[in-house]
Every structure is written in structure tokens, then in C-alpha cells.
Amino acid sequence: MRAFTYERASSVEAAAKAAASNPETKFIAGGTNLLDLMKLEIETPAHLIDVNGLGLDKIDSTPEGGLRIGALVRNTDLAAHETVRRDYGLLSRALVAGASGQLRNKATTAGNLLQRTRCPYFYDPNQPCNKRQPGSGCSAIGGFSRQHAVVGVSDSCIATHPSDMAIAMRALDAAVETVKADGSRRSIAIADLHRLPGGTPHLETVLERGEFITAVLLPPPIGGKHIYRKVRDRASYAFALVSVGAVIQPDGTGRVAVGGIAHKPWRIEAAEAELPKGARAAAGVLLADAHPTEQNRFKVDLVERTLGAVIAEARG
């Protein structure tokens, strides 16, 4: 790990301003992803801003009937929250399916959304990776690609986004609140937060330099059957080959977001209109533009089968 300087932020605005003034600065809270990357010298920040003391660890009701989840709420606390379990069961289930109990005790809401890909080539500094070193190439294309994306890919990157929580947030139409370096604030829909790789896979979100997530907003609950099904190579502490987060209503309509197949949580609203017809119809729309490799072509069928299991469970 390379040497770095450290400070504790005194306010959200000060943290954003300080981070914007130095491109080699990173925010740190739980550190469950950042510290691993620093030890491998994949992330090499010269300065860390500790944001743990900013009081962003509360879950509050909103006037509209939804929830405002502070950026520093730990995954364990969010999953166990009474209102989340009762009204946003999809979110609670997705969180419990992620990582281990020890990591969930430290990982934060904002950090979970912003965690970086677990592509093994990204984690290997000896391999070319456009996400790690723009313009160097993508070792996964033509390499071992069983875990990689099948839709939304580009000639520059076929990595997947690893977050389970983000899949639930996408299905629930969440939004993030942020503060920019100039002190202004904005709200970004989860649908718009993460970028597809295109020719710039190192640009993973639409956040500006120094822009700081302060909270995640959930709209009022929508009822229905909340299901999160994660297919992986082992029963725990593994990232998804395919995951499906769904809210299915009694009439068979609903919302569906899929993980493990794209650079961002994958939701195509047009596919949801096909849900009453069954998994094949909905999956056909979800994966209409799929470009799998020979090694991960099975994911196309796996999405349909996993969605079928979710629909069957919703029907009882």
C-alpha cells in the first residue's frame, strides 16, 4: 500500500470541496472495497477523507411516505430495519444475500452503490484493463469470461457491477441525494447513476469530482410480493452469476431488475409489460441486445430460468 495523508471531514460541504480540489483524494467510510484495492495498488489515493463523523447514519420517513436512508447507514442496520423489512422486503433480502455478516456490519449504503467491479483482470495489475488503465485493452474479452456481462457491453469492457443492494434499489425506483463541491445539491435516479462502459469504462457513475452522496431516497412502498433470488457458485460470500430482484403484484404485473449480467443494474421497463405472459417473454425483452461470450452464453438461459422461479414463487 502506498503512503497517504488522512483527515476527518468536518461537514459534507467541506468534504466535497476538499475532494474536488485534489483528484488523488478518496472518501472513506467502511472501506470494505477501497482498502482492498489500495493494498493491491489498484487504487492509489494520496489523501483520504474520513466521512464517518458526519451523522449520515439515520433512516427517516419522508413527507411523501417513503424513506430517506443516510449514506453511512450500515448494510446490517438497513437490512434489519423494521420498516425496510415490512415495506421494502426486496431491499432487505438483497442486502442479506450480499457479502458476509462481518462485511455487512462495516459496509455503508453509499459505498455499496459505488463499489467497483470484481472482474479478476481488474484486480490483476499485470493484465491490461481499460477500467484500471484507460486505453490498455480488456483482458476479459478473449479471456476467461464466465462471470462477465452479456448485455450493455462494449469493445472496451465486459465487466459486471457487483452490488446486490443496487439491484433492489433499481427495482424500487430509488434516487440518491448528493452535494457538489460548490455546495449545490441534486437528486439522481438510480437508473441514471451508473454508466454503461462504452469507450470510457473507467467512468463508472455520473458523479462529478468531489460530489458526495448524502442519502438514498425510497419512494412510498408499492406492496406486492418482494423476491430476491441470487444464483452463484457457492451458497454464501460469492457474487452473482445472475440475480433477479422483483416486486410482483397479485395480477402478475410487476418490476424486475437483474444483476450479474451488465455494467449496471439491468432493468428494462418494457420487459415488465411481458411478465404476465411468463419468464420467456419478459427475458426475451430484457436480453434482446445480449452479446454473450462462448463462456457465459449460459447466462441468457439462466436469466429466463431464474425469472421463471421468481414468478412461480410469487404465484405461490
Side-chain angles (χ1 to χ4, degrees):
M1 183 184 290
R2 298 186 187 181
F4 58 89
T5 55
Y6 169 91
E7 70 173 295
R8 292 178 178 174
S10 58
S11 70
V12 170
E13 292 77 12
K17 185 175 181 180
S21 66
N22 182 354
E24 295 186 348
T25 296
K26 292 284 185 180
F27 300 121
I28 187 166
T32 58
N33 187 205
L34 177 60
L35 290 178
D36 284 344
L37 294 173
M38 289 174 66
K39 290 173 184 177
L40 294 170
E41 296 192 4
I42 294 167
E43 293 274 15
T44 56
H47 186 63
L48 293 182
I49 300 176
D50 187 331
V51 297
N52 282 296
L54 297 180
L56 303 175
D57 57 352
K58 305 295 190 298
I59 302 173
D60 299 305
S61 299
T62 65
E64 297 77 20
L67 284 183
R68 185 178 188 273
I69 303 163
L72 299 177
V73 172
R74 307 295 162 165
N75 287 179
T76 295
D77 296 332
L78 182 57
H81 192 273
E82 181 181 359
T83 304
V84 174
R85 293 179 64 190
R86 183 187 67 230
D87 296 335
Y88 304 94
L90 171 57
L91 176 57
S92 183
R93 291 176 173 88
L95 284 163
V96 171
S100 65
Q102 294 93 329
L103 286 173
R104 292 195 298 271
N105 288 342
K106 293 295 293 181
T108 62
T109 298
N112 190 304
L113 292 176
L114 298 178
Q115 63 183 296
R116 307 200 69 185
T117 184
R118 264 47 178 201
C119 172
Y121 298 105
F122 172 72
Y123 269 75
D124 184 354
N126 296 311
Q127 300 290 333
C129 173
N130 288 320
K131 188 178 285 293
R132 185 171 15 86
Q133 185 177 354
S136 63
C138 176
S139 298
I141 298 176
F144 183 71
S145 57
R146 181 173 180 271
Q147 293 275 356
H148 287 74
V150 299
V151 68
V153 299
S154 73
D155 292 337
S156 298
C157 184
I158 59 172
T160 58
H161 191 272
S163 171
D164 292 288
M165 187 187 79
I167 305 305
M169 293 293 195
R170 179 68 180 92
L172 294 170
D173 281 335
V176 299
E177 290 182 338
T178 71
V179 173
K180 295 184 181 182
D182 62 3
S184 63
R185 297 173 181 262
R186 65 167 170 163
S187 178
I188 307 169
I190 287 286
D192 301 324
L193 176 64
H194 300 98
R195 298 172 181 261
L196 289 178
T200 55
H202 61 293
L203 301 177
E204 298 175 340
T205 72
V206 299
L207 297 178
E208 300 174 6
R209 185 198 298 175
E211 190 169 6
F212 181 73
I213 294 177
T214 57
V216 175
L217 293 178
L218 288 176
I222 58 174
K225 186 79 170 180
H226 288 228
I227 300 170
Y228 188 75
R229 185 173 288 257
K230 182 176 181 179
V231 182
R232 45 190 165 177
D233 285 329
R234 59 179 184 268
S236 65
Y237 200 32
F239 296 99
L241 288 169
V242 163
S243 63
V244 172
V247 180
I248 307 295
Q249 302 298 333
D251 62 359
T253 62
R255 302 179 185 177
V256 172
V258 183
I261 64 168
H263 202 256
K264 61 186 293 185
W266 195 252
R267 180 181 173 195
I268 303 295
E269 280 79 350
E272 296 168 357
E274 304 297 318
L275 283 173
K277 300 177 185 177
R280 176 167 296 182
V285 179
L286 274 168
L287 300 177
D289 296 321
H291 294 283
T293 68
E294 287 300 319
Q295 294 177 12
N296 66 18
R297 192 174 301 278
F298 72 94
K299 286 193 177 187
V300 175
D301 292 331
L302 189 57
V303 168
E304 180 183 331
R305 293 172 183 173
T306 307
L307 181 55
V310 166
I311 292 172
E313 181 180 346
R315 291 173 177 170

